[in-house]
Amino acid sequence: MPYMIFLPESSWEIKDTTDKGRGVFVKKKVLKATVIGDYLGVVTKFEDLDFEKERIGMYAMYYNDKACILPQNKNYPGVHLINHSCDP
């Protein structure tokens, strides 16, 4: 399975963060409106998740008011490691 990060590997790296797990960090400037990658995963209903238990390293992407997208393999380097929060 490819990374699903469309930027050249030389322009990013994965590092541990202090309180959120792992994250993707750029090593080179990324131009505005650049497509970074493709978020692949499984649509999961919020009612099926225990956010308090799983919140660290969950990497959930908002889908709609009832569901989110979880990466197929959260240990695999991918777009789910990019800070996609509205409150970075």
Side-chain angles (χ1 to χ4, degrees):
M1 176 187 293
Y3 283 133
M4 301 319 300
I5 296 174
F6 299 156
L7 302 174
E9 277 191 63
S10 62
S11 66
W12 56 271
E13 65 182 319
I14 295 174
K15 298 191 288 188
D16 290 328
T17 65
T18 55
D19 61 347
K20 299 285 185 179
R22 297 180 307 149
V24 173
F25 295 83
V26 294
K27 298 191 294 187
K28 298 178 181 178
K29 184 177 179 176
V30 177
L31 299 175
K32 182 178 180 178
T34 299
V35 176
I36 304 278
D38 194 5
Y39 198 106
L40 300 178
V42 178
V43 177
T44 305
K45 293 179 182 177
F46 289 125
E47 64 190 42
D48 295 337
L49 298 172
D50 181 349
F51 279 99
E52 286 305 310
K53 178 181 175 188
E54 302 181 54
R55 68 183 170 83
I56 301 300
M58 181 179 272
Y59 307 109
M61 172 73 78
Y62 178 83
Y63 182 71
N64 63 29
D65 290 342
K66 296 183 180 190
C68 62
I69 303 171
L70 297 176
Q72 291 173 338
N73 182 345
K74 70 180 182 180
N75 296 316
Y76 194 82
V79 175
H80 62 280
L81 297 174
I82 294 173
N83 182 350
H84 52 273
S85 171
C86 295
D87 185 21

